[in-house]
Amino acid sequence: PAAAHEWLVDCYRMRVDDEERWGGGNLRGLYDPGATPKSVCADFLIFCRLAVEAGCVPERWDWQAFLRIAAKLICYAFEKCDAQEKYGTENVFSVEMGGRSLRATGEQIFGSSILQFDASPAEERITDEVMGGPLLREGLFERVGGLKPWRWLAETLKIPHRPGFDDMSFFDFGGFSGGKGQGANHHSAKGNYDSSRGTKTQGGKGKATKGKGKGRGAKGKSHANRY
């Protein structure tokens, strides 16, 4: 069970990286320049609710144990090379050969390819529900373990220093903090972290250039602007 819990958490973390890298520079979760513990928790909640709806979470899922693992990992970046090192392989086509893939599972959960700039109807609906009021409110957590473990997660998460993000000012991001819907194409060197220890392995300077884009991720609004 612990391995399955960590694998699903890594599925989320890789999707966050994929959307920044391949999805038009969409910055969500940890990669949102204005990320807070509650905004990261909200983004992870959207993922978990989508995963349940997509049938990717077994009925007897220990949400409390799962969120304990998530608390240690979702505030650290996780790229394809990290997945290959950790699991030996990561290939979206592995599913066709009877294997599994973090990226392919993420696409199944979100209902959209990493190259698809628009959110799926399911993602838009759940994002609207999560972002439509205070995060820690009844009704959002019925199928994902209840309010209590999520309250613990929101109060436990710590956002580490993120080279390439935290060292930049508002103007370094073109006066913008959010996703595709505000028409920005970001190419930010966020700095990479070891998936288990959270130690910096490399970093760099980032830049942002304005462009034309379509909405995604809370209809183009940063979760951090809400929480």
Side-chain angles (χ1 to χ4, degrees):
H5 292 162
E6 188 162 340
W7 193 85
L8 190 60
V9 172
D10 287 343
C11 179
Y12 165 76
R13 293 201 292 161
M14 186 166 168
R15 177 66 181 218
V16 171
D17 186 80
D18 279 344
E19 287 199 14
E20 187 272 342
R21 188 178 300 271
W22 303 107
N26 189 41
L27 304 178
R28 67 184 306 152
L30 175 69
Y31 290 12
D32 187 325
T36 67
K38 282 189 176 180
S39 71
V40 172
C41 185
D43 193 60
F44 189 57
L45 172 61
I46 292 168
F47 167 82
C48 289
R49 288 191 51 178
L50 285 167
V52 170
E53 286 199 3
C56 294
V57 178
E59 289 187 10
R60 293 188 176 183
W61 190 253
D62 187 337
W63 285 99
Q64 187 171 357
F66 172 67
L67 294 177
R68 282 198 297 266
I69 291 175
K72 299 176 182 179
L73 298 176
I74 61 175
C75 285
Y76 297 102
F78 190 77
E79 304 178 4
K80 181 177 180 179
C81 61
D82 298 316
Q84 291 172 328
E85 180 179 351
K86 185 172 184 177
Y87 296 107
T89 183
E90 170 50 41
N91 188 324
V92 71
F93 300 109
S94 296
V95 177
E96 299 178 5
M97 298 178 284
R100 65 178 185 172
S101 161
L102 295 169
R103 180 172 290 165
T105 302
E107 292 184 342
Q108 179 184 352
I109 289 171
F110 280 92
S112 62
S113 163
I114 60 172
L115 301 177
Q116 182 178 329
F117 284 12
D118 292 334
S120 68
E123 183 183 353
E124 288 186 347
R125 171 176 49 81
I126 290 179
T127 298
D128 286 345
E129 291 178 11
V130 172
M131 305 302 292
L135 173 61
L136 299 175
R137 66 189 191 275
E138 297 290 346
L140 291 181
F141 307 95
E142 292 178 358
R143 301 182 65 189
V144 290
L147 175 58
K148 185 176 179 179
W150 284 91
R151 184 187 299 277
W152 174 87
L153 179 65
E155 294 173 350
T156 300
L157 287 180
K158 304 293 183 184
I159 304 295
H161 177 67
R162 299 166 300 165
F165 273 177
D166 295 337
D167 296 335
M168 293 186 196
S169 71
F170 175 80
F171 296 101
D172 289 322
F173 283 92
F176 153 86
S177 171
K180 300 172 186 174
Q182 298 198 17
N185 181 20
H186 293 273
H187 303 282
S188 307
K190 55 194 167 292
N192 300 321
Y193 295 83
D194 180 274
S195 60
S196 58
R197 295 186 296 275
T199 55
K200 177 187 172 189
T201 57
Q202 66 180 19
K205 296 181 179 179
K207 64 179 181 179
T209 56
K210 292 184 178 180
K212 295 182 178 180
K214 296 181 68 176
R216 182 176 193 149
K219 296 185 178 178
K221 297 180 181 178
S222 164
H223 289 183
N225 290 341
R226 182 65 182 81
Y227 298 121

